[in-house]
Amino acid sequence: MQLDWFQAILIMLSSAGAAVFALALSARLARQGPAGQGAQAMPMPEPAVFLFDGKRLVDTTGPGRGLLETATMAGDDWTRLLSFIGPRFPEFEAALPTLAMRRDPLVLMAAVEGRRHPVQLRAEDVNGVTRVTLVDPEAEGHGRAVDALSFLAMEDELELMRKTLDCLPALVWREADDGEVIWANRAYLAKCGAMSAEEDTFAWPLPRLFPPGRAEDGDGFHRVRINRADDKAGDMWFDRHGFTMTQGRLQIAFAADAVVKAEQSLHSFVQTLSKTFADLPIGLAVFDRQRKLQLFNPALIELTQLHAEFLIGRPSLHAFLDRLREARMVPEPKDYRSWRMQMTELEKAAAAGFHEETWNLPGGQTYRVTGRPHPDGAVAFLFEDITSEMTLTRRFRAELSLGQDALDQMEEAVAVFRVSGDLAFSNQRYDEMWGVDPATSLARITLHDSVRQWEQECAGSPVWSALRAGVTEIRVTVCRNNGWQMECHARPLAAGAMMVGFHVIESQVTLVRNDVAEMQQAPSL
């Protein structure tokens, strides 16, 4: 929208310039003619004639003075005239040194946008004085009457557009078909050093700051770097926009130093991240809000077995997951549709917050896949090979299960308490003797709770107070309320733990077994 506005202003300015020039000549003649005469009764317009002694204006006609007053740029009279002649008659300056040697006047023709007949320029040397005449064929033979108020309104509008363009911080200029700069705003002249700040004048021809635009470039955006030796700040960057017009091209350039600096900082930051993540054993894949891969590290290539060329091509998240499935680096799905839904849920969960999954791959590896949301709608996935960790965990669990089975085969009831006093584990004999089930109980079982239970189900003994006091070297005989004699012993273990064991005296067990056998053999009444 901003560029369209700039282009519209410049097109209006180009068209209005030619119109105002013609209107200026006609209006001045209209003001000089008798009042009340119509357009048919007006005399033929006076041509714009200029007499220059070198670059000093000696004399000019009324239309010539009006042309100088409506010149686009500030400067002396010769520069003002060249600002009008130069874009329309580019060969004029090259032919100036030959005027004194010509027998006939120099005649040049220039087509003007929006007019059927070209404007004619005649130049000749008259006793060392350069005479330049501008002739408008469409105005020859008849006068043109212009309402003074309408002409004043057009002049005000043109002046407003000029000031608007001169106040723009953007660089605006117009190029001819051969690439020559034929018009520029104040920002362009100040940037290329063509305008003097003290005198508010500029040099002609206008210097070129940018390489000429090419027709094959078309209309659109191009980033341009300018390297100026006199600029201590170094290279200057601009976002250049070109627009093809009927004659030449309109160019607009915006300063892009801050944008380029930000992009370079971002690129440097990404490089730093890439170097940091390069040595990580965890695979990293960062997808932007459009779910295109933006960042990955070498570990991702090793873990996923995907080619670097594929990852450098910035695939989408779904293409990335499809390639993982083809490489058999995802859990074996029952069918493609269910797998696709599972991956969609993975993406949604990762975008909403921290999400973690464990993938058991067909090859026997185990991966931990973690999804994390990132700013601006991005999402990052971490791939970690936890095969060794899971193998160690399974082995540890198997050893614990083996140890538990061994404890369960013991005749002695055994319970182990941590240094904090919590019950760590017990064997099956202990659970049956005291009626507890630590594996399914949600309540916390402590040494003090256990001592209280032992004391309630056994006869009084000093051993209970000793256990409460933390004595770990104990071996005594206690009697349960059912009359059984038990040997109770406590032993210290590593890391401050303690093991408490209960063993029923064998004679008591044998006696009970004999009594049960006799009762089974006695005849029933």
Side-chain angles (χ1 to χ4, degrees):
M1 182 64 72
Q2 184 181 16
L3 295 179
D4 295 340
W5 181 69
F6 287 160
Q7 186 179 11
I9 290 179
L10 291 174
I11 294 174
M12 293 170 59
L13 178 59
S14 301
S15 302
V20 170
F21 169 65
L23 290 172
L25 299 178
S26 302
R28 290 179 182 273
L29 294 174
R31 289 195 295 267
Q32 294 173 1
Q37 292 183 349
Q40 293 80 1
M42 294 180 63
M44 183 175 62
E46 182 181 4
V49 183
F50 306 88
L51 295 179
F52 279 92
D53 184 3
K55 294 186 178 181
R56 182 178 62 85
L57 180 64
V58 178
D59 195 10
T60 183
T61 60
R65 176 59 61 185
L67 175 63
L68 294 178
E69 292 176 356
T70 58
T72 306
M73 296 294 180
D76 55 23
D77 294 329
W78 180 252
T79 303
R80 289 171 180 266
L81 180 60
L82 284 183
S83 67
F84 178 82
I85 294 178
R88 297 165 177 81
F89 305 92
E91 58 271 77
F92 172 72
E93 286 191 86
L96 275 177
T98 66
L99 289 182
M101 298 180 289
R102 287 178 175 271
R103 299 179 58 181
D104 298 325
L106 172 67
V107 179
L108 301 175
M109 307 296 290
V112 179
E113 185 175 355
R115 302 178 70 84
R116 292 177 299 174
H117 303 286
V119 176
Q120 183 184 87
L121 180 145
R122 297 173 185 173
E124 56 185 330
D125 184 87
V126 181
N127 298 328
V129 177
T130 302
R131 175 180 175 136
V132 180
T133 305
L134 292 173
V135 179
D136 181 7
E138 294 188 8
E140 292 184 353
H142 60 86
R144 294 184 180 180
V146 180
D147 178 64
L149 294 179
S150 300
F151 177 74
L152 180 61
M154 293 183 66
E155 280 188 326
D156 292 341
E157 183 179 0
L158 179 61
E159 183 66 19
L160 176 61
M161 286 190 289
R162 286 178 179 172
K163 290 182 178 180
T164 301
L165 289 174
D166 284 341
C167 293
L168 288 178
L171 278 59
V172 185
W173 72 101
R174 190 168 179 177
E175 298 176 353
D177 293 331
D178 59 357
E180 181 184 3
V181 179
I182 58 177
W183 181 88
N185 70 340
R186 185 178 296 271
Y188 180 96
L189 297 176
K191 181 62 69 174
C192 66
M195 175 169 286
S196 172
E198 293 79 8
E199 301 179 4
D200 197 22
T201 60
F202 65 94
W204 189 270
L206 297 177
R208 173 167 297 284
L209 184 61
F210 297 86
R214 300 174 299 177
E216 56 268 24
D217 293 339
D219 297 347
F221 159 79
H222 301 279
R223 180 154 291 170
V224 182
R225 179 178 65 180
I226 300 177
N227 187 2
R228 298 184 61 192
D230 58 342
D231 191 350
K232 298 181 180 180
D235 296 345
M236 296 183 295
W237 290 89
F238 292 89
D239 289 339
R240 174 176 173 176
H241 303 260
F243 303 91
T244 302
M245 305 186 70
T246 304
Q247 294 181 354
R249 288 174 60 84
L250 175 68
Q251 303 284 350
I252 304 175
F254 299 91
D257 293 335
V259 177
V260 172
K261 185 177 180 181
E263 291 177 350
Q264 291 175 348
S265 299
L266 178 60
H267 180 68
S268 177
F269 178 70
V270 171
Q271 284 186 330
T272 303
L273 287 181
S274 300
K275 293 178 180 178
T276 303
F277 296 143
D279 298 329
L280 288 179
I282 302 176
L284 173 66
V286 179
F287 296 85
D288 59 15
R289 65 188 310 171
Q290 283 78 32
R291 296 301 180 260
K292 295 289 185 180
L293 182 63
Q294 295 293 336
L295 180 65
F296 66 93
N297 64 342
L300 183 69
I301 301 176
E302 298 177 4
L303 293 175
T304 60
Q305 300 181 9
L306 299 180
H307 296 293
E309 293 79 6
F310 171 73
L311 298 176
I312 292 174
R314 298 178 59 188
S316 64
L317 176 59
H318 289 295
F320 175 79
L321 294 175
D322 285 339
R323 188 64 65 92
L324 286 181
R325 180 174 180 268
E326 294 174 3
R328 295 175 60 85
M329 298 305 297
V330 295
E332 191 66 31
K334 295 181 180 180
D335 55 74
Y336 182 79
R337 182 177 180 182
S338 63
W339 176 82
R340 193 52 126 162
M341 293 179 61
Q342 181 182 357
M343 293 301 101
T344 303
E345 294 299 325
L346 172 64
E347 176 192 355
K348 292 181 179 179
F354 182 85
H355 181 72
E356 181 178 309
E357 288 186 359
T358 300
W359 287 3
N360 295 313
L361 305 183
Q365 305 101 317
T366 303
Y367 283 4
R368 179 187 292 123
V369 180
T370 305
R372 296 174 180 270
H374 271 232
D376 198 24
V379 62
F381 290 96
L382 304 176
F383 295 83
E384 183 180 1
D385 188 354
I386 59 172
T387 304
S388 300
E389 177 183 340
M390 294 301 295
T391 301
L392 182 61
T393 301
R394 295 188 186 103
R395 184 180 304 171
F396 179 70
R397 289 177 178 175
E399 292 178 355
L400 286 179
S401 178
L402 180 61
Q404 185 67 44
D405 291 341
L407 285 176
D408 290 341
Q409 298 302 319
M410 295 175 59
E411 291 292 337
E412 183 179 9
V414 177
V416 177
F417 296 90
R418 299 186 181 92
V419 66
S420 61
D422 294 333
L423 177 64
F425 57 86
S426 59
N427 65 350
Q428 185 177 358
R429 180 64 174 168
Y430 177 87
D431 297 342
E432 294 175 352
M433 177 180 289
W434 299 106
V436 296
D437 190 1
T440 59
S441 176
L442 298 178
R444 177 187 176 192
I445 302 177
T446 63
L447 176 61
H448 289 279
D449 297 335
S450 301
V451 171
R452 185 183 304 110
Q453 181 183 6
W454 302 335
E455 188 176 13
Q456 291 175 354
E457 298 187 19
C458 297
S461 173
V463 67
W464 313 127
S465 300
L467 289 173
R468 289 193 184 94
V471 178
T472 58
E473 288 285 353
I474 296 176
R475 180 177 290 274
V476 297
T477 301
V478 295
C479 181
R480 292 196 67 175
N481 294 336
N482 59 6
W484 285 10
Q485 298 290 326
M486 296 185 304
E487 183 181 274
C488 174
H489 61 85
R491 298 175 185 175
L493 299 178
M498 181 178 66
M499 182 182 71
V500 178
F502 297 91
H503 179 64
V504 179
I505 297 176
E506 186 65 25
S507 59
Q508 297 288 336
V509 175
T510 302
L511 180 60
V512 171
R513 289 176 180 172
N514 293 336
D515 292 343
V516 171
E518 291 177 357
M519 292 177 61
Q520 291 177 348
Q521 294 175 1
S524 57
L525 297 178

